[in-house]
Amino acid sequence: MSGLEITGLSKSFGGVCALDDVSVAFPHGKINALIGPNGSGKTTFFNCVTGMIRADSGRITYRGQDLTGRPPHRIARAGIGRSFQLCRVFPRMTVLDNLLCAVQPRTLRAKAGRSHSRAETERARHWLTRMGIDHLERAEAQNLSWGQQKLLELAGVLMSEPETILLDEPAGGVNPALIDRICALVSELNAEGRTFLVVEHNMDLVMSLSHHIVVFDRGWPIAEGPPSAIRSDEKVLGAYLGV
């Protein structure tokens, strides 16, 4: 079943084409990966899908909803969350308060007073426990390691209970122990019903974790399929190795 479907997506910057009439679909309920050499358009694709930048043309559909041109907050409400290549946390706030900031206030009183319910605080602590960083809830985010900040950012994404999560290089700059932890979490959350789309350069992680892989080169998908097919695809080898 297709969850996220892209048709004819294009984006240029000053005459440089980052995405060239991209049409691709990512199965719902799976761990999908988007890979490709540097400059192949992966992050631009993420930014267009999540409304961070507006595509020049094309259509974005998620589970039957047309999200084309919608702003980021409306795309998030449709059930899509994302992380960033460089962690976006509030460095001088506590770990717990970082998660509570991710909660959208639902009443005028909450908006005015920035108060949080007991249920919201319990939910934040639940995700900190799932990430394995609950012992750090009173620490300032700037005092966490890079890998711990990645876990904190993922917990913040999960506070909005998205059905689909886009992860931009979750293993980048992270030590091996925490990479294993991130992989285990993604697998657990997928087993619980969440769909993932992961941009990642760590090919061991991609091949071991993903069910479905799409490969970009120069703003265009050149291959897609299960890891077993991608490993031996001549176009993929050529894009990465120049062979």
Side-chain angles (χ1 to χ4, degrees), residues 69-127:
R70 291 192 186 184
H73 70 278
R74 291 189 64 190
I75 291 173
R77 286 175 183 168
I80 298 177
R82 74 163 291 181
S83 71
F84 292 84
Q85 186 175 346
L86 298 177
C87 290
R88 295 195 175 188
V89 299
F90 297 103
R92 303 189 74 173
M93 293 179 65
T94 68
V95 165
L96 181 61
D97 283 343
N98 262 271
L99 292 200
L100 293 175
C101 280
V103 177
Q104 292 292 323
R106 298 187 180 275
T107 66
L108 288 174
R109 177 177 294 179
K111 289 179 180 178
R114 305 299 295 169
S115 60
H116 296 282
S117 68
R118 178 178 295 178
E120 289 168 344
T121 301
E122 289 177 353
R123 184 152 53 93
R125 287 184 168 134
H126 163 77
W127 287 120

Side-chain angles (χ1 to χ4, degrees), residues 13-149:
F13 299 96
V16 177
C17 183
L19 297 172
D20 184 11
D21 195 26
V22 172
S23 294
V24 67
F26 297 96
H28 193 68
K30 302 295 185 181
I31 301 174
N32 302 277
L34 178 59
I35 66 173
N38 287 330
S40 60
K42 303 182 299 297
T43 295
T44 299
F45 180 84
F46 263 30
N47 287 339
C48 288
V49 168
T50 56
M52 303 298 294
I53 60 176
R54 186 180 289 271
D56 298 330
S57 61
R59 186 179 182 193
I60 301 166
T61 306
Y62 176 65
R63 305 205 73 188
Q65 301 179 70
D66 189 349
L67 302 184
T68 309
R70 291 192 186 184
H73 70 278
R74 291 189 64 190
I75 291 173
R77 286 175 183 168
I80 298 177
R82 74 163 291 181
S83 71
F84 292 84
Q85 186 175 346
L86 298 177
C87 290
R88 295 195 175 188
V89 299
F90 297 103
R92 303 189 74 173
M93 293 179 65
T94 68
V95 165
L96 181 61
D97 283 343
N98 262 271
L99 292 200
L100 293 175
C101 280
V103 177
Q104 292 292 323
R106 298 187 180 275
T107 66
L108 288 174
R109 177 177 294 179
K111 289 179 180 178
R114 305 299 295 169
S115 60
H116 296 282
S117 68
R118 178 178 295 178
E120 289 168 344
T121 301
E122 289 177 353
R123 184 152 53 93
R125 287 184 168 134
H126 163 77
W127 287 120
L128 289 178
T129 299
R130 287 290 301 271
M131 299 298 119
I133 54 173
D134 49 305
H135 61 294
L136 298 169
E137 73 167 56
R138 297 192 179 186
E140 290 187 353
Q142 64 184 351
N143 294 326
L144 272 60
S145 71
W146 184 251
Q148 289 169 336
Q149 288 187 32

